[in-house]
Structure formats: structure tokens, C-alpha cells
């Protein structure tokens, strides 16, 4: 880790040893992720997308959101090797990247995080709508697809505001416009509020509504059974997993926003611990790219049927499959 180079010149051998130990631990974690978690996440995200898009007729509202999260997971899978094989994460780094590459990776990472968090949030709200107003079809597959498009557009626009701060923080101070915006804490504050606080409040509100409607018996409860009962368990598990994996990263943003860079300069003893926790939190965030598709694969009862249908279709190729026709007719009815 680059911060250890500073310690070699300024601090005691104990500080250097601590930093080197943190660097070794992070190097091992990064390699384990790249060897095990990265290929699993890549394969299962592609499988989730292909299986659902090949069975569009049988897709439900939760399926659309999980496909959206799988696409964001693939973006994280693109960013992860570049980040984890750099000197920031491992001693045995394969390359060093410049500021332009750093900013590009940061943009992709922020966009993916926003898409994942807001897909999870809107999944919770749409699940409540589906339970409360099953006859209105407000949370239909058609509407959900458009909502997911808006999620990506909103994530790009939201990242642009913080992008200005990051860019100006990495270019020359000779530009007057950017010299006034060189504030990394402001960019982290934007991401902390929009990427974590707002989704957390919305998910909490949605869960309160869901718990309320589950306690109250209404005449529409029979209609709400058209949702697979396993969807509730999948929703609860996905929300918990996403917030467990992403909360440490956003907490490091909060710490950096509140404390600021100047505090670390005057308290250099805490630098190795802070950077270790920051790298570890990013590694946990990357882990969401394989945790979600694995959980979807295990907890969604319809996924196995869709996968078998796709395999039969690939086996039939250009020939017509009688069992496929009957399956589609059953789904439509």
C-alpha cells in the first residue's frame, strides 16, 4: 500500500510493521476475491440475465429488478480486477493507473452502487404496492422496466455532481474554476446522502408498510397470492445483504466527510488503520456483485424452471419443442 512509503521515511518501525501487516492482509483478501468470488459473480450475473431475458413472458416485477442489479454487478466485475490488482490493494500489483483511470473507475463504481441501492429500494416499495393494491398493476413488469431505465439515468446524473469535485481534486490548481471546488469531502457527502441515507430511509419506510399490511387482513389478500411467497424471503434477504455489504463503505465516506483530510495529516498514526478499513469496505462492496445472484439462484423457486426451459430450448435449437409451447401457454394463462 502506497501509504507505507510515507511511513518508511517519517515514523517508527512499529508503524511501518503495522502498515505492512495491513497491506499483507489486504493482498491476501484481494487475491482470494479474484480467484473465487470474481468468477462466481461473473458467471452467475450473466446466467441470471440470460435466463430471465430468454424467458421474458414469465418475468415478474422482482425479476426485472434483479436483472437490473445483475447488470450493475457486471459493471462492478469490470472495475474489481483493475482496482484489486493495483498497488492500492495488493503488494503484488500488476499495474499502476493514473488519475484519469482512477476517476473513470470511481464513476463506474458510484453508478453501480447507486443502481444497486435504488433497485433494492424500489423493489421494496413495489413489493408493498403489489401486496396492497394487487388489482392496479402499478408495479407491472412493463412499468418496472421503465423505472430501471430511470434508475440508470439518475445514477449517471447523480454521479456527475460528485464527479466535478473528484476531477477538480486531481487536476492542477491553476484553473481558477477548479481551485474553488477541490473538496473531496463534498463529493463524499453527496454520495453518502444520495447513495445511502435516502435509500435507507425509503427501505425502512417500505418495510414498515409491509409489516403493517401483513398484520392487517384485507379482502385483497387472496389476490396478493399471485406473488410467489418466496419473494418475501428473497426481498428481506437481499435488502439485508446489500446494506450489510455497502454500509462499511458509506461509513468510511461519512468519516472522511466529517473528519476531513487535514485531520489525518495531523494524526498520521491512524492512517494505516483508516486506509485498511477503507480498502476492506470497498472489497465488501465488490462482494455484492456475487452475493446477490447466488442468493437469487438459491431462493427463487422459478429460476430452476426457467433455466431448464432455456436448456431444453438450446437443445431443440431450430426444431419446435412441444413442451415449450405448453409451458408458454401455462405462463400466459
Amino acid at each position: 500500500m502506497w501509504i507505507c512509503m510515507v511511513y518508511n521515511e517519517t515514523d517508527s518501525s512499529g508503524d511501518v510493521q503495522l502498515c505492512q501487516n495491513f497491506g499483507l492482509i489486504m493482498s491476501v483478501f484481494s487475491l482470494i476475491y479474484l480467484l473465487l468470488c470474481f468468477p462466481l459473480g461473473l458467471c452467475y450475473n450473466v446466467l441470471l440475465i440470460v435466463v430471465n431475458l430468454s424467458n421474458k413472458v414469465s418475468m415478474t416485477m422482482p425479476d426485472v429488478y434483479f436483472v437490473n442489479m445483475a447488470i450493475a454487478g457486471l459493471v462492478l466485475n469490470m472495475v474489481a480486477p483493475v482496482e484489486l490488482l493495483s498497488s492500492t490493494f495488493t503488494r503484488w500489483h500488476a499495474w499502476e493507473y493514473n488519475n484519469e483511470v482512477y476517476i473513470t473507475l470511481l464513476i463506474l463504481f458510484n453508478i453501480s452502487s447507486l443502481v444497486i441501492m435504488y433497485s433494492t429500494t424500489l423493489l421494496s416499495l413495489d413489493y408493498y404496492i403489489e401486496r396492497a393494491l394487487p388489482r392496479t398493476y402499478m408495479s407491472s413488469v412493463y412499468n418496472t422496466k421503465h423505472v430501471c431505465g430511470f434508475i440508470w439515468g439518475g445514477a449517471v446524473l447523480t454521479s456527475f455532481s460528485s464527479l466535478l469535485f473528484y476531477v477538480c481534486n486531481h487536476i492542477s490548481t491553476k484553473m481558477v474554476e477548479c481551485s474553488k471546488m477541490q473538496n473531496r469531502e463534498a463529493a463524499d457527502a453527496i454520495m453518502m446522502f444520495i447513495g445511502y441515507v435516502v435509500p435507507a430511509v425509503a427501505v425502512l419506510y417500505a418495510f414498515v408498510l409491509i409489516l403493517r399490511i401483513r398484520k392487517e387482513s384485507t379482502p385483497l389478500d387472496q389476490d396478493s397470492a399471485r406473488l410467489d411467497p418466496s419473494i418475501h424471503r428473497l426481498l428481506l434477504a437481499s435488502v439485508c445483504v446489500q446494506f450489510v455489504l455497502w454500509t462499511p463503505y458509506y461509513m468510511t465516506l461519512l468519516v472522511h466527510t466529517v473528519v476531513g483530510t487535514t485531520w489525518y495529516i495531523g494524526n498520521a498514526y491512524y492512517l494505516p488503520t483508516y486506509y485498511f478499513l477503507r480498502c476492506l469496505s470497498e472489497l465488501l462492496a465488490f462482494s455484492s456483485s456475487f452475493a446477490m445472484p447466488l442468493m437469487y439462484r438459491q431462493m427463487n423457486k422459478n429460476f430452476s424452471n426457467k433455466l431448464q426451459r432455456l436448456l431444453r430450448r438450446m437443445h431443440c435449437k431450430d426444431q419446435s419443442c412441444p413442451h415449450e409451447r405448453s409451458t408458454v401457454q401455462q405462463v400466459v394463462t
Side-chain angles (χ1 to χ4, degrees):
M1 299 174 72
W2 67 268
I3 194 65
C4 294
M5 298 173 60
V6 178
Y7 272 85
N8 286 332
E9 300 175 358
T10 59
D11 287 283
S12 64
S13 59
D15 296 332
V16 175
Q17 186 63 38
L18 177 64
C19 186
Q20 290 178 348
N21 291 338
F22 282 153
L24 180 60
I25 295 172
M26 185 52 59
S27 299
V28 173
F29 284 167
S30 299
L31 292 179
I32 292 175
Y33 177 89
L34 290 173
L35 292 176
L36 297 178
C37 304
F38 172 73
L40 281 176
L42 184 63
C43 294
Y44 274 96
N45 277 315
V46 172
L47 185 65
L48 191 156
I49 295 171
V50 171
V51 168
N52 279 287
L53 293 184
S54 63
N55 293 273
K56 292 183 179 180
V57 177
S58 59
M59 283 185 69
T60 61
M61 174 268 296
D63 294 330
V64 178
Y65 281 118
F66 278 99
V67 168
N68 205 43
M69 286 186 276
I71 296 174
L74 288 179
V75 177
L76 284 180
N77 283 330
M78 283 193 323
V79 175
V82 183
E83 283 270 10
L84 299 182
L85 289 176
S86 67
S87 60
T88 305
F89 281 86
T90 179
R91 289 182 176 182
W92 313 290
H93 57 276
W95 49 66
E96 295 275 358
Y97 49 76
N98 54 25
N99 290 335
E100 289 75 14
V101 175
Y102 168 79
I103 292 173
T104 302
L105 295 175
L106 188 63
I107 294 171
L108 295 175
F109 184 85
N110 286 342
I111 291 175
S112 300
S113 67
L114 290 172
V115 170
I116 290 174
M117 296 299 287
Y118 277 91
S119 295
T120 305
T121 302
L122 292 176
L123 172 61
S124 305
L125 293 171
D126 278 356
Y127 178 81
Y128 164 73
I129 295 174
E130 192 85 357
R131 290 295 303 269
L133 303 170
R135 294 183 182 275
T136 60
Y137 294 90
M138 293 176 61
S139 57
S140 64
V141 174
Y142 177 80
N143 292 335
T144 305
K145 291 179 180 179
H146 289 284
V147 169
C148 289
F150 282 112
I151 291 176
W152 281 95
V156 173
L157 291 176
T158 302
S159 300
F160 181 76
S161 59
S162 58
L163 169 64
L164 294 177
F165 290 98
Y166 285 118
V167 170
C168 289
N169 195 46
H170 284 82
I171 66 175
S172 175
T173 57
K174 293 180 180 179
M175 296 181 63
V176 179
E177 294 81 0
C178 273
S179 63
K180 298 178 180 179
M181 296 182 63
Q182 290 186 349
N183 191 345
R184 176 73 180 269
E185 291 80 6
D188 289 342
I190 293 174
M191 285 301 302
M192 174 65 192
F193 179 77
I194 299 178
Y196 186 81
V197 175
V198 175
V201 173
V203 166
L204 182 61
Y205 177 69
F207 269 62
V208 170
L209 295 177
I210 292 172
L211 290 175
R212 181 184 301 174
I213 200 172
R214 284 174 65 89
K215 292 180 180 179
E216 297 175 358
S217 177
T218 64
L220 296 177
D221 284 342
Q222 295 181 351
D223 293 330
S224 65
R226 61 193 181 93
L227 271 180
D228 190 342
S230 64
I231 295 299
H232 179 75
R233 296 190 296 272
L234 179 60
L235 168 65
L236 182 62
S238 62
V239 170
C240 293
V241 168
Q242 291 289 21
F243 276 89
V244 166
L245 294 178
W246 283 97
T247 295
Y249 171 74
Y250 282 105
M251 289 301 102
T252 59
L253 295 186
L254 177 62
V255 170
H256 188 258
T257 301
V258 174
V259 175
T261 306
T262 56
W263 186 86
Y264 295 107
I265 296 176
N267 298 269
Y269 176 77
Y270 298 100
L271 271 176
T273 303
Y274 170 76
Y275 279 100
F276 172 76
L277 293 177
R278 175 126 188 178
C279 292
L280 185 61
S281 66
E282 289 187 29
L283 192 61
L284 287 175
F286 283 130
S287 300
S288 67
S289 64
F290 81 90
M292 291 304 297
L294 281 176
M295 188 168 53
Y296 179 86
R297 169 68 178 84
Q298 294 297 324
M299 300 185 67
N300 192 326
K301 297 180 179 179
N302 296 326
F303 185 81
S304 298
N305 296 330
K306 292 180 181 180
L307 180 58
Q308 293 175 4
R309 198 179 309 155
L310 175 62
L311 295 176
R312 287 196 298 264
R313 190 183 307 165
M314 293 175 62
H315 178 71
C316 293
K317 294 182 179 179
D318 297 333
Q319 302 176 2
S320 59
C321 301
H323 56 266
E324 181 68 20
R325 293 179 180 177
S326 61
T327 305
V328 173
Q329 290 178 357
Q330 292 177 2
V331 172
V332 173
T333 56

